[in-house]
Amino acid sequence: MRTLLFLSAILFITTPVLAKSGFYLGVDAGNTTVNGQDISYDDFIDEHGYGSVPRIFGGTLFSTDNDCGGLTSRLYLGYNLFGYGALELTLTGSGTNLSDSDLRAWAAQASTTLRIYPLWHWQEDLIKRYDLPNWLLDIEPSLSIGLGPAYQVYIPIYGVDEVAYSTNTSIKYGIALEYFFNSFFRFHIDYNYLSAPFDKFIFNWSDDEIWQLREGSGDTSYHQFLCGFSFHFNLAKE
């Protein structure tokens, strides 16, 4: 306990006066590209007594490489601790033809994300030491990693119900630049790489008929490019 109190005191002493803790709420928009793969019928494993997975007419394979990318939105709630890092709860979605029940495809991910600001403590000293422009004080780079569930839904051919893939173990890596407009409002640009090792296949999304996928057969990655704004409560540079 004494050690914890000592470390906490050191953190308060070394923390810049401008670094404050607080909640923030953000919203983003952008674009997602998807790198998926076709799935062989031999890679579907029946663990619920449904038998073999239904086959698509014409020999077409089910695939995670579909049109679930495109226009993307993200909503998140975070808590920043002294400017050094933050914990975020994030919900991201993308898709195409969402209003067309015969063509729509979409993807969604939820994650608990740890965000680190590696230059926070040293940024002001670095700018003074190398005689850099003062406006760089208002720009913060950050790195992030997140874990959580991911879903992908699409219609393989016209007239067939939606099918889906899911996993609870997607992992996301991100890099971002944030700019302070004022003491409570930020603009940011983000790039995220998300890996989704889909391990469940849901045939007839509405009926929830589930097959397991052989390990590695549903591995899919997403590249997300986003920009947006966040509103901070009791957190910012003054």
Side-chain angles (χ1 to χ4, degrees), residues 10 107 120-121 138 140 157 175 195 215:
I10 294 297
W120 178 270
H121 184 69
D138 295 325
E140 288 188 76
I157 59 172
I175 184 170
S195 174
E215 184 176 357

Side-chain angles (χ1 to χ4, degrees), residues 21-37:
S21 298
F23 286 97
Y24 56 94
L25 181 67
V27 60
D28 299 338
N31 184 74
T32 294
T33 59
V34 182
N35 293 320
Q37 59 180 312

Side-chain angles (χ1 to χ4, degrees), residues 12-219:
F12 275 101
I13 292 171
T14 59
T15 299
V17 176
L18 299 178
K20 296 181 179 180
S21 298
F23 286 97
Y24 56 94
L25 181 67
V27 60
D28 299 338
N31 184 74
T32 294
T33 59
V34 182
N35 293 320
Q37 59 180 312
D38 293 338
I39 302 176
S40 168
Y41 287 106
D42 293 333
D43 289 325
F44 295 93
I45 303 172
D46 177 25
E47 294 185 351
H48 303 281
Y50 294 122
S52 299
V53 69
R55 293 178 177 255
I56 304 175
F57 296 113
T60 302
L61 297 176
F62 292 105
S63 178
T64 63
D65 189 12
N66 50 59
D67 295 329
C68 66
L71 183 63
T72 304
S73 60
R74 179 175 68 173
L75 180 67
Y76 57 95
L77 174 68
Y79 185 83
N80 188 292
L81 184 61
F82 304 119
Y84 288 102
L87 189 65
E88 298 175 352
L89 300 177
T90 303
L91 180 62
T92 307
S94 62
T96 56
N97 300 307
L98 296 179
S99 62
D100 190 331
S101 60
D102 293 320
L103 295 174
R104 65 187 172 211
W106 58 271
Q109 305 93 34
S111 67
T112 300
T113 301
L114 176 65
R115 185 173 299 278
I116 301 296
Y117 296 90
L119 297 183
W120 178 270
H121 184 69
W122 300 275
Q123 191 166 346
E124 187 171 3
D125 290 339
L126 289 172
I127 288 173
K128 290 180 179 179
R129 179 180 302 177
Y130 296 102
D131 195 27
L132 299 174
N134 286 333
W135 57 263
L136 288 175
L137 282 170
D138 295 325
I139 297 179
E140 288 188 76
S142 67
L143 303 172
S144 64
I145 183 171
L147 301 170
Y151 299 88
Q152 187 186 109
V153 182
Y154 83 114
I155 299 172
I157 59 172
Y158 181 81
V160 175
D161 194 8
E162 292 172 304
V163 301
Y165 307 94
S166 71
T167 180
N168 290 322
T169 57
S170 71
I171 183 168
K172 176 183 66 176
Y173 304 95
I175 184 170
L177 286 176
E178 303 179 13
Y179 176 77
F180 282 92
F181 279 109
N182 52 40
S183 62
F184 56 85
F185 198 54
R186 288 186 185 183
F187 170 79
H188 53 264
I189 56 175
D190 288 51
Y191 165 73
N192 293 314
Y193 171 82
L194 186 139
S195 174
F198 291 120
D199 52 13
K200 291 182 180 179
F201 172 77
I202 306 170
F203 184 79
N204 286 338
W205 173 254
S206 58
D207 294 335
D208 205 29
E209 300 174 6
I210 299 175
W211 279 261
Q212 298 298 120
L213 292 177
R214 200 174 308 279
E215 184 176 357
S217 63
D219 289 356

